[in-house]
Amino acid sequence: MSYFFTSESVSEGHPDKVSDAISDGILDAIYKTDPTARVACETFVTTGLVLVGGEVTTSAYIEVPDIVRQTVKNIGYTSADYKFDSESCSVLNAIHSQSPDIAMGVDKGGAGDQGLMFGYACDQTPELMPMPIMYAHKLVKRLADIRKNNLKLMPYLRPDSKSQVTIEYDDKNNPVRVDTVVISTQHDADAKQKKIKEDVIEYVIKKIIPEKYLDKKTKYFVNPTGRFEIGGPHGDSGLTGRKIIVDTYGGWAPHGGGAFSGKDPSKVDRSAAYAARHIAKNVVGAKLAKECLVQVAYAIGVAQPVSIFVDTKGTGKISDKEISSMISKEVDLTPKGIIERLNLRRPIYQKTSAYGHFGRNDKDFTWELLDLVPVFKKYA
């Protein structure tokens, strides 16, 4: 029996993503001079205001307002018409040092907090990701690319946008068609909605989604409210870590609850989620399964995970228990081991803050490498 599944994404100009980019920008700035720093940075944005808080322990000195303004500028909020721009927004800094009680456990190589993290991969797309979230990401990324690099094509575009993609699957879990595409894009005051819809379908949707998945029944909703002039932090407040499902698998796979942005890799919320994706992708890449879910869990201050769980949804060539044993034997899942294997103490994080942390073709996204495939294939 066929079924439908939907995922959404948001652009870098969405207020929550502005917050994520600022938090990760601060982490990157610190890591440029102090790769051993402890960083847990949260950002709140609203009309004319950026509030940065959290816990940072570092020998580096950074100018928080400069990082904030440059990040906001790079995203595209450069006009007073947006009611939030890089030159005029107020920046409040409420950062303090990490709790010594937490540091005591991390200093010994333990996890920075308790928690559970998930990684997932499947063979629906070349990126080994669920199809709905991949197309949702690519649609808003396409809008941003047009706005930044080819504005003449759609000269009315503003930074804030959202997408949603519904895929129809057959009874064997294979994607067969795109049923619905929803795109809301912020625009200038004088833009005509009819023109926006025509352009979005022609220059965005049809450039991203292969023709074989679009048919006469595919539904397109572009700015379905009829207007999207007011957006960004003026239209809605933004907060770091509020788009965790967008950041991961679009709801197709579970999420442990912890956000990523603004956290250095001693926080297993981030590093272990990257490691779990790395493992799951390599299991699928080694063709041990068509899809793979990996869960790891940690206790604060303890290095080794307290559990490893694997679920291949019945698609495994070997049992889930055997895959779990393989992971335990072949992969170091201590925080130190993850950080070293994936080379995570680098200023690479701001570019993860929009368009997904997974399924990206970027040399710095080491958790996307298929370097464990030769090792895992031995177990087939």
Side-chain angles (χ1 to χ4, degrees), residues 275-322:
R277 161 64 180 172
H278 183 224
I279 292 167
K281 185 175 182 180
N282 277 266
V283 168
V284 175
K287 301 191 184 303
L288 295 182
K290 289 175 65 65
E291 64 176 305
C292 181
L293 176 71
V294 176
Q295 185 209 54
V296 289
Y298 293 84
I300 189 168
V302 179
Q304 292 290 345
V306 298
S307 69
I308 301 171
F309 168 80
V310 173
D311 184 4
T312 60
K313 311 294 183 183
T315 68
K317 288 188 175 180
I318 60 176
S319 72
D320 294 348
K321 185 176 181 181
E322 287 175 293

Side-chain angles (χ1 to χ4, degrees), residues 85-127:
D85 68 274
S86 58
E87 295 301 317
S88 67
C89 66
S90 297
V91 180
L92 301 181
N93 182 359
I95 291 174
H96 58 87
S97 62
Q98 185 184 54
S99 162
D101 295 345
I102 296 174
M104 186 167 57
V106 179
D107 290 342
K108 298 175 183 177
D113 200 355
Q114 70 174 46
L116 49 127
M117 301 84 207
F118 289 95
Y120 179 80
C122 63
D123 63 0
Q124 291 181 27
T125 64
E127 298 87 356

Side-chain angles (χ1 to χ4, degrees), residues 69-89:
R69 295 187 193 284
Q70 189 60 51
T71 300
V72 172
K73 182 179 180 180
N74 291 346
I75 289 170
Y77 287 110
T78 56
S79 170
D81 292 343
Y82 303 157
K83 304 294 191 294
F84 179 89
D85 68 274
S86 58
E87 295 301 317
S88 67
C89 66

Side-chain angles (χ1 to χ4, degrees), residues 28 32 42-43 48 72 89 96 107 133 163 174 181 230 242 252 264-265 274 299 310 313 327 339 352:
D28 281 355
K32 285 176 182 177
E42 314 287 343
T43 303
V72 172
C89 66
H96 58 87
D107 290 342
I133 189 64
S163 66
N174 298 309
V181 180
I230 298 171
R242 203 157 54 180
W252 187 275
D264 77 83
Y274 289 0
V310 173
K313 311 294 183 183
I327 294 166
I339 290 167
T352 70

Side-chain angles (χ1 to χ4, degrees), residues 60-349:
Y61 175 79
I62 60 168
E63 283 285 357
V64 171
D66 291 351
I67 296 164
V68 169
R69 295 187 193 284
Q70 189 60 51
T71 300
V72 172
K73 182 179 180 180
N74 291 346
I75 289 170
Y77 287 110
T78 56
S79 170
D81 292 343
Y82 303 157
K83 304 294 191 294
F84 179 89
D85 68 274
S86 58
E87 295 301 317
S88 67
C89 66
S90 297
V91 180
L92 301 181
N93 182 359
I95 291 174
H96 58 87
S97 62
Q98 185 184 54
S99 162
D101 295 345
I102 296 174
M104 186 167 57
V106 179
D107 290 342
K108 298 175 183 177
D113 200 355
Q114 70 174 46
L116 49 127
M117 301 84 207
F118 289 95
Y120 179 80
C122 63
D123 63 0
Q124 291 181 27
T125 64
E127 298 87 356
L128 302 186
M129 287 283 287
M131 186 177 285
I133 189 64
M134 283 310 302
Y135 284 149
H137 284 324
K138 289 180 178 181
L139 289 169
V140 286
K141 180 65 163 59
R142 170 72 177 169
L143 280 168
D145 288 343
I146 291 172
R147 176 174 56 85
K148 291 182 173 183
N149 304 317
N150 194 12
L151 190 57
K152 290 181 180 179
L153 199 64
M154 300 172 71
Y156 46 79
L157 290 178
R158 290 184 177 184
D160 196 356
S161 64
K162 302 177 76 171
S163 66
Q164 188 171 283
V165 177
T166 301
I167 304 290
E168 182 178 356
Y169 291 82
D170 64 19
D171 57 1
K172 296 181 180 178
N173 297 321
N174 298 309
V176 293
R177 58 182 292 273
V178 173
D179 183 74
T180 308
V181 180
V182 182
I183 293 184
S184 296
T185 181
Q186 189 186 12
H187 56 79
D188 290 342
D190 57 354
K192 304 298 183 185
Q193 293 301 321
K194 184 174 183 294
K195 174 65 172 170
I196 295 173
K197 183 171 184 177
E198 291 172 352
D199 288 350
V200 166
I201 293 173
E202 182 66 26
Y203 301 128
V204 180
I205 297 173
K206 290 186 176 180
K207 296 296 184 183
I208 293 299
I209 299 177
E211 187 178 358
K212 67 179 180 179
Y213 290 120
L214 301 173
D215 57 33
K216 293 180 180 179
K217 293 183 179 179
T218 301
K219 298 178 283 292
Y220 304 103
F221 297 99
V222 178
N223 286 5
T225 67
R227 189 172 187 82
F228 189 11
E229 179 188 350
I230 298 171
H234 178 57
D236 191 10
S237 60
L239 195 64
T240 299
R242 203 157 54 180
K243 286 290 179 284
I244 58 175
I245 299 302
V246 170
D247 285 343
T248 53
Y249 308 101
W252 187 275
H255 192 292
F260 302 153
S261 289
K263 295 178 181 177
D264 77 83
S266 74
K267 280 75 173 173
V268 282
D269 278 342
R270 183 168 218 159
S271 55
Y274 289 0
R277 161 64 180 172
H278 183 224
I279 292 167
K281 185 175 182 180
N282 277 266
V283 168
V284 175
K287 301 191 184 303
L288 295 182
K290 289 175 65 65
E291 64 176 305
C292 181
L293 176 71
V294 176
Q295 185 209 54
V296 289
Y298 293 84
I300 189 168
V302 179
Q304 292 290 345
V306 298
S307 69
I308 301 171
F309 168 80
V310 173
D311 184 4
T312 60
K313 311 294 183 183
T315 68
K317 288 188 175 180
I318 60 176
S319 72
D320 294 348
K321 185 176 181 181
E322 287 175 293
I323 294 175
S324 181
S325 297
M326 174 191 74
I327 294 166
S328 297
K329 181 179 179 180
E330 299 290 351
V331 185
D332 184 351
L333 282 170
T334 64
K336 182 175 184 289
I338 293 170
I339 290 167
E340 290 179 354
R341 184 175 70 259
L342 300 180
N343 193 14
L344 296 179
R345 292 199 183 277
R346 295 175 294 144
I348 59 171
Y349 294 105

